[in-house]
Amino acid sequence: MTAKPKKSPPAVDALTKAQAKVELMRLTLEIEGHDKRYYQDDAPKISDAAYDELRKRFNAIEARFPEFVTGDSPSQKVGVAPSGRFKKVRHAVPMLSLDNAFAEEDVVDFVGRIRRFLKLGDEDEIDFSAEPKIDGLSMSLRYEGGELVTAATRGDGTEGEDVTANIRTLEDVPKKLKGRNIPDVCEVRGEVYMTKQAFLALNERQKAAGETIFANPRNSAAGSLRQKDPGITASRPLGFFAYAWGEMSDMPADLQSGMISWFERCGFKTNPLTKQCHSVEQLIAFHRKIEEQRAGLDYDIDGVVYKVDRLDWQERLGFVSRTPRWAIAHKFPAERAITVLRDIEIQVGRTGSFTPVGKLEPVGVGGVIVQNVTLHNEDYIRGIGGDGEQLREGRDIRIGDTVVVQRAGDVIPQIVDVVIDKRPKTAKEYHFPKKCPCPLHTDVVRGETATGEEGSRARCTGEFACPYQKIEHLKLFASRRAFDIDGLGEKQIEFFFEQGWVTEPADIFTLPKRNAKFKLEEIEGYGETSVRNLFASIEARRNISLERFIFALGMRHVGETTALALARGYGSWTAFHDACLKVTKDDEEAIAEMDALDQIGDTVIASIKAYFGESHNRGIVERLTKEVTILDTEKPKSNSAVAGKTVVFTGSLEKMTRDEAKATAERLGAKAAGSVSKKTDYVVAGPGAGSKLAEAKKHGVTVLTEDEWLKLVGE
Ligand code: IVH
């Protein structure tokens, strides 16, 4: 992208690689700008046909230059039909996802975890509802006074799209719930799907009409739902199976299986293969049986889901970040395909570590075209252990090899085998670079990092001077999970970085006032409106929550969950920052206090110490904090007697497991810590309590028995 006057864009076929990159960025901005006007401002500025043209051009360029496809590209929004733009709906209860099990041992572990968490003995039976995992689109249907009022897609789990008018055309979705005593508010959740037969027939019609051909039934269901004209949705045969719920003003049953029967009484279809199982053996037998039936079913499934039947147990088990402890998806084996490995390139990550990426002859694996695979590290390529477990033993990978590629669900595709018979004489062994591909060409180190991990990873030693690392950090900083700045996706970051306008996070916030110098609105691809929108979204992010801020710093081992734990633990930026600086000076009390926070241990502390111990990072943070206001973390709202208190469990507990005790404490707004300090409010001590009890006495902390604790929390 160069600072040239605006002119009409050249034909896709005539674009050079450099022009394509610029054009993709320009189109991304334009499409996102139109989406914003359409969704948020309710004021579209161009016709649907013109919007479709933009998307078509964008897709055509990406198809010619697939190397420019990034995770946040408009083309990667699954199933987005050209004109399918809908209003956003916030889910009253988030739509979460499921943890996956692939091997039978994973199922054994899942049941074992539940047993331990609930403190059940081996002889206690756990009933499960075992259900096929339908490969469609999850949908939340809200009924008020028994009438369907809103139908929303899952979206990001917090916010979905309003597809009510289209959903109303589905025969399987009752517009009014049947039966008596229907709760005032019912959110029925389940899966919209298209049968395989209907999918094939639809593709025939689409082909004849010269319209989009769908890759699989899931995409065709998504495309059919995201039509602006409900008449089109009505002409596409979509089905719906109910299997879950969101907000319910009253619960009509106390078992998962009871809820499924209730859905049926209300007029829904539920999956006929759903079965009650009472042991791990029965779950695994169910999985095998369904896998045998899979090909013969008229709808796609990608595994089975096991759910603890008792809803009071589901409640006690709760969630670990965004997946329930009480359910798991036992997936079917991954899909595979054979292709040729053309090249290997090095990708430099945010923390400097190298990931070799295999460039494949594009191949379809389970309905998706795969052209990049992760090769993990040098040992994996040489076939000597590390992450190499995935690769068949005794195999190494060479450029030119015919390889077996595997893709399982959302997991990044991998090479799992090499067809040795087809290895050409010209196949080239890959030699890991000795220098970083970044312009600094720094020496590469292999081995321990500051936190003593990632042993087999090669890393760039350029650290903060390596432009690849800086750019990756900026991408993370502006991404949806961190500062979430609209109009500042990966391509825009790359452009601003290449121009030298944004080289560290604070620069993003000073961009508007520096614009007089570089006049972004005069740059090809930007106009006054898109610049105004970009600057408005930057302004909107000057106030940021503490957990997002901590996550956005990009410290190793500090993901979203850890950032949230730190934000909750310290409450304010000042408290957290002070603690970090003390940790870098090996202040024992500060380290103990951090260590006492749930989920924080040596690795995270070492990483925080390494980060804040580096003056360059302190500079970045200092300049950034001058630009933004970091909001204190709200303590979890609770009127419980233990809200805001810090509690330590020690010794053996008899009525609940340690995990359950901690989960209850956190649900009630208390902080469950791992060690005792003078900031601890309660120590709950069971039989066998040792040093922590002694510590409690030393600091004069209130000590409770398990029963006293249960009484205090009212359970
Ligand atoms: S239960 C808290 N049951 O799988 C989780 N999900 O990875 C509630 N799915 O987004 C989901 N069949 O789209 C559940 N019988 C089933 C399902 C099912 C398909 C999908 C659903 C969800 C995804 C979770």
Side-chain angles (χ1 to χ4, degrees):
M1 180 151 175
T2 45
K4 280 180 279 175
K6 284 178 212 172
K7 56 179 182 331
S8 61
V12 173
D13 285 350
L15 291 173
T16 63
K17 201 167 164 172
Q19 284 170 324
K21 191 173 176 190
V22 173
E23 185 66 351
L24 284 174
M25 191 188 88
R26 181 185 79 79
L27 287 166
T28 304
L29 278 172
E30 206 171 335
I31 291 169
E32 285 178 355
H34 290 307
D35 283 346
K36 182 180 172 290
R37 277 190 286 279
Y38 185 92
Y39 291 125
Q40 293 169 23
D41 312 340
D42 205 11
K45 253 182 119 178
I46 57 168
S47 68
D48 282 351
Y51 177 83
D52 291 355
E53 278 307 312
L54 287 178
R55 272 196 173 270
K56 252 193 209 155
R57 181 171 168 80
F58 185 91
N59 292 344
I61 301 175
E62 271 197 351
R64 240 197 98 198
F65 298 97
E67 60 271 37
F68 292 143
V69 179
T70 55
D72 63 352
S73 154
S75 65
Q76 298 302 299
K77 290 181 187 160
V78 175
V80 174
S83 309
R85 300 180 291 181
F86 299 88
K87 299 238 157 55
K88 290 265 160 83
V89 183
R90 221 181 158 71
H91 299 299
V93 174
M95 291 182 81
L96 303 176
S97 56
L98 295 168
D99 202 4
N100 291 327
F102 291 98
E104 295 184 354
E105 300 87 79
D106 298 339
V107 181
V108 175
D109 289 349
F110 163 68
V111 176
R113 274 197 304 274
I114 293 175
R115 244 174 226 297
R116 282 194 302 281
F117 194 96
L118 296 175
K119 277 219 143 188
L120 298 177
D122 287 344
E123 68 293 348
D124 294 316
E125 203 164 79
I126 310 175
D127 296 338
F128 291 95
S129 170
E131 310 167 4
K133 185 170 186 297
I134 318 295
D135 196 8
L137 274 114
S138 46
M139 185 64 51
S140 189
L141 308 172
R142 187 175 172 93
Y143 292 82
E144 286 175 6
E147 306 267 353
L148 176 66
V149 288
T150 321
T153 61
R154 178 175 186 276
D156 63 2
T158 309
E159 234 176 25
E161 287 184 321
D162 186 338
V163 288
T164 316
N166 294 346
I167 280 292
R168 280 184 188 283
T169 67
L170 266 65
E171 221 175 279
D172 290 356
V173 173
K175 308 326 152 243
K176 190 171 168 48
L177 298 181
K178 284 196 209 147
R180 276 177 293 154
N181 299 330
I182 301 288
D184 272 352
V185 175
C186 300
E187 275 182 13
V188 178
R189 292 180 175 173
E191 205 83 355
V192 172
Y193 67 95
M194 186 178 282
T195 64
K196 295 178 190 170
Q197 214 186 354
F199 156 71
L200 294 173
L202 172 63
N203 262 358
E204 285 298 315
R205 293 202 302 275
Q206 294 285 101
K207 200 168 149 193
E211 297 280 345
T212 322
I213 304 289
F214 296 106
N216 51 43
R218 182 176 185 277
N219 283 8
S220 67
S224 303
L225 252 194
R226 303 181 97 271
Q227 293 292 330
K228 290 198 87 182
D229 174 4
I232 299 184
T233 309
S235 74
R236 308 270 178 91
L238 295 172
F240 178 78
F241 284 128
Y243 55 67
W245 57 94
E247 187 182 353
M248 296 287 299
S249 55
D250 211 355
M251 283 301 282
D254 49 16
L255 296 176
Q256 171 75 28
S257 49
M259 287 299 287
I260 289 183
S261 308
W262 181 75
F263 291 148
E264 286 169 9
R265 291 201 295 280
C266 289
F268 287 100
K269 290 215 172 95
T270 63
N271 190 281
L273 302 172
T274 299
K275 192 172 179 275
Q276 286 265 100
C277 293
H278 312 286
S279 64
V280 174
E281 292 71 32
Q282 288 183 12
L283 293 177
I284 289 170
F286 177 78
H287 185 262
R288 289 196 187 136
K289 192 168 145 226
I290 299 292
E291 195 178 353
E292 278 167 21
Q293 297 183 15
R294 182 184 188 187
L297 294 176
D298 197 22
Y299 45 86
D300 270 346
I301 59 173
D302 57 348
V304 294
V305 184
Y306 309 135
K307 301 174 184 172
V308 169
D309 205 25
R310 275 179 60 166
L311 301 187
D312 58 335
W313 282 1
Q314 286 193 4
E315 173 110 346
R316 273 174 66 188
L317 286 157
F319 291 81
V320 192
S321 46
R322 297 182 72 76
T323 58
R325 279 197 192 85
W326 45 265
I328 203 158
H330 188 181
K331 303 292 274 284
F332 294 135
E335 309 210 41
R336 296 181 166 191
I338 291 184
T339 186
V340 173
L341 176 68
R342 282 185 159 173
D343 201 1
I344 297 178
E345 286 178 5
I346 292 293
Q347 228 172 45
V348 185
R350 178 172 50 84
T351 55
S353 62
F354 285 7
T355 307
V357 176
K359 299 282 167 181
L360 302 174
E361 188 72 46
V363 64
V365 193
V368 169
I369 303 292
V370 173
Q371 45 201 351
N372 295 322
V373 280
T374 173
L375 297 173
H376 301 289
N377 53 45
E378 191 169 1
D379 288 351
Y380 187 88
I381 298 173
R382 291 166 58 201
I384 49 167
D387 286 317
E389 292 152 84
Q390 286 290 337
L391 182 64
R392 179 153 163 193
E393 237 186 295
R395 296 283 193 255
D396 70 323
I397 299 170
R398 300 185 191 175
I399 298 169
D401 267 341
T402 295
V403 293
V404 180
V405 178
Q406 168 175 301
R407 192 185 141 258
D410 300 334
V411 180
I412 304 165
Q414 320 223 19
I415 292 180
V416 288
D417 201 357
V418 174
V419 185
I420 294 293
D421 294 352
K422 292 205 171 167
R423 176 169 278 171
K425 288 211 178 70
T426 50
K428 264 199 319 207
E429 264 183 62
Y430 179 70
H431 297 288
F432 229 72
K434 304 257 181 305
K435 302 269 183 202
C436 178
C438 75
L440 299 171
H441 293 300
T442 57
D443 286 338
V444 168
V445 286
R446 231 183 105 127
E448 294 219 328
T449 64
T451 52
E453 288 193 26
E454 302 176 34
S456 57
R457 282 262 156 145
R459 300 177 55 236
C460 166
T461 46
E463 294 278 332
F464 314 106
C466 169
Y468 285 15
Q469 296 184 47
K470 283 190 191 177
I471 234 176
E472 290 306 314
H473 178 220
L474 284 165
K475 285 179 188 170
L476 172 103
F477 184 87
S479 71
R480 192 154 147 182
R481 295 181 304 152
F483 266 67
D484 191 17
I485 301 175
D486 274 350
L488 206 51
E490 298 192 355
K491 290 194 184 71
Q492 290 80 28
I493 291 277
E494 276 170 22
F495 170 69
F496 286 128
F497 188 86
E498 279 161 16
Q499 300 299 315
W501 296 342
V502 173
T503 58
E504 65 170 63
D507 295 345
I508 294 174
F509 294 95
T510 59
L511 198 61
K513 66 176 182 244
R514 288 183 290 130
N515 190 36
K517 223 185 325 167
F518 48 72
K519 297 200 173 56
L520 191 53
E521 58 285 353
E522 288 176 13
I523 303 287
E524 184 187 336
Y526 278 96
E528 275 181 17
T529 324
S530 53
V531 171
R532 205 177 322 118
N533 285 345
L534 172 65
F535 290 173
S537 32
I538 291 175
E539 280 314 310
R541 288 302 180 180
R542 275 194 201 269
N543 291 324
I544 190 86
S545 69
L546 179 57
E547 63 264 29
R548 274 184 186 261
F549 187 86
I550 295 176
F551 172 67
L553 292 181
M555 291 182 278
R556 274 181 211 156
H557 306 290
V558 181
E560 282 165 292
T561 314
T562 310
L564 181 62
L566 289 165
R568 286 201 177 138
Y570 289 98
S572 71
W573 167 251
T574 318
F576 173 66
H577 188 229
D578 283 355
C580 293
L581 296 182
K582 283 186 185 155
V583 166
T584 62
K585 299 202 173 96
D586 290 324
D587 180 313
E588 280 181 19
E589 202 174 323
I591 292 175
E593 198 186 328
M594 198 171 277
D595 193 34
L597 295 176
D598 198 28
Q599 316 206 38
I600 311 293
D602 293 348
T603 313
V604 171
I605 296 177
S607 174
I608 288 177
K609 184 176 165 196
Y611 186 93
F612 282 93
E614 172 60 53
S615 67
H616 177 94
N617 285 338
R618 289 197 303 274
I620 285 183
V621 171
E622 195 181 317
R623 289 186 288 280
L624 176 61
T625 48
K626 283 200 184 117
E627 298 296 331
V628 298
T629 306
I630 306 158
L631 309 174
D632 289 353
T633 298
E634 248 184 75
K635 297 271 177 233
K637 280 198 187 83
S638 167
N639 45 15
S640 139
V642 298
K645 307 280 189 204
T646 301
V647 56
V648 174
F649 295 94
T650 180
S652 61
L653 302 174
E654 280 160 2
K655 302 207 167 122
M656 52 192 170
T657 58
R658 188 74 62 86
D659 278 350
E660 191 180 0
K662 281 185 170 183
T664 309
E666 278 165 9
R667 200 175 64 232
L668 296 172
K671 196 160 71 185
S675 61
V676 180
S677 74
K678 61 184 183 204
K679 299 206 170 146
T680 311
D681 295 291
Y682 299 112
V683 167
V684 180
S691 62
K692 288 183 190 167
L693 185 56
E695 278 287 301
K697 287 186 178 144
K698 187 172 114 195
H699 293 297
V701 174
T702 310
V703 178
L704 302 175
T705 62
E706 189 178 354
D707 281 339
E708 284 167 339
W709 162 258
L710 288 173
K711 204 166 148 206
L712 182 67
V713 298
E715 298 224 336

